[in-house]
Amino acid sequence: TEIYTLSLHDALPIYAVYSPLSGSPSSKTSYLLYVKGRDLVRNSFSAAKLAIEGDAITVAHDVGSIRTLAQAPISASGNGVLVYQNVGDPVRQLVWMDRTGKQTGTLGDTGLWGPPRIAPDGVRVVAGELGADNVNADLWLFDAQGTARPFVQRPGVSEAFPIWSPDGSRIAFWSNPEGVNDLYVKPVNGITADLLYKSPNAKYPTD
């Protein structure tokens, strides 16, 4: 199995797996497999020309992908055996666990949640969730009682990588209303988010 990264038209790079069928060098029996939307598809592929040939054919539906790394959980062997991960409906559940690893509670409903960030007070939590369009993420804030409220939600815009200030009064995050991940900060009890840092390059707050 060989791994490629390709771009289709003006799309972002796509993680693809090259699968030559055993004993056959023909491009008609060699394929590139990749995830398009939520579908696993294959294209006939010429390794000599490094070019796809013909139309994409759907192999399976509801296959997951790691969007931030442009990767997908797929692999193919030299004899044509394909392995992939089916994700189906969103099933990630945010849970509280104690220091021994015992689950002590849950937060919110199941969904496409990103990594949660616990406030310095140890009881409030902020987390991003992929929206209904399966493209843009919104930020949600959980209070001490575990009740969730929208923290930052803008149609057609993503917000992610939330980071608490040391005193727990503000949250920094990236957002892309102009197409580039710029840094913003918003008071926990505030209404609007303020631009913190803007540049042509994508930025991700970590601390």
Side-chain angles (χ1 to χ4, degrees):
T1 300
E2 298 181 47
I3 298 172
Y4 292 82
T5 300
L6 69 153
S7 291
L8 300 180
H9 306 295
D10 296 325
L12 292 173
I14 297 173
Y15 174 89
V17 169
Y18 171 61
S19 175
L21 294 187
S22 180
S24 177
S26 169
S27 64
K28 296 301 181 183
T29 51
S30 296
Y31 302 100
L32 274 186
L33 299 121
Y34 53 93
V35 173
K36 186 176 183 181
R38 288 173 61 91
D39 293 334
L40 174 60
V41 301
R42 67 171 171 85
N43 266 105
S44 294
F45 183 75
S46 170
K49 300 177 182 177
L50 291 180
I52 55 177
E53 300 175 340
D55 297 327
I57 297 175
T58 299
V59 177
H61 299 290
D62 289 330
V63 177
S65 62
I66 307 172
R67 293 175 179 271
T68 56
L69 300 179
Q71 293 186 350
I74 57 177
S75 183
S77 66
N79 62 2
V81 175
L82 171 67
V83 178
Y84 63 91
Q85 180 179 7
N86 184 284
V87 293
D89 295 327
V91 293
R92 294 179 192 164
Q93 175 69 63
L94 298 179
V95 301
W96 281 110
M97 304 182 78
D98 64 19
R99 298 288 182 177
T100 69
K102 179 182 177 181
Q103 181 176 322
T104 61
T106 61
L107 280 178
D109 298 323
T110 57
L112 290 175
W113 294 103
R117 304 293 184 184
I118 302 174
D121 61 19
V123 294
R124 294 173 298 166
V125 176
V126 62
E129 183 186 27
L130 197 63
D133 61 4
N134 284 320
V135 176
N136 297 296
D138 302 316
L139 292 182
W140 291 80
L141 187 64
F142 295 86
D143 61 21
Q145 288 72 45
T147 302
R149 66 174 173 87
F151 184 63
V152 185
Q153 290 183 328
R154 290 183 282 186
V157 177
S158 270
E159 285 86 21
F161 275 67
I163 299 293
W164 290 87
S165 63
D167 64 0
S169 67
R170 298 176 298 160
I171 295 174
F173 56 93
W174 69 252
S175 185
N176 60 356
E178 297 184 26
V180 177
N181 297 355
D182 289 319
L183 300 184
Y184 289 78
V185 65
K186 180 182 176 181
V188 171
N189 297 320
I191 298 175
T192 60
D194 295 321
L195 178 65
L196 184 65
Y197 182 67
K198 177 182 177 64
S199 76
N201 301 315
K203 295 158 291 295
Y204 304 90
T206 58
D207 203 354

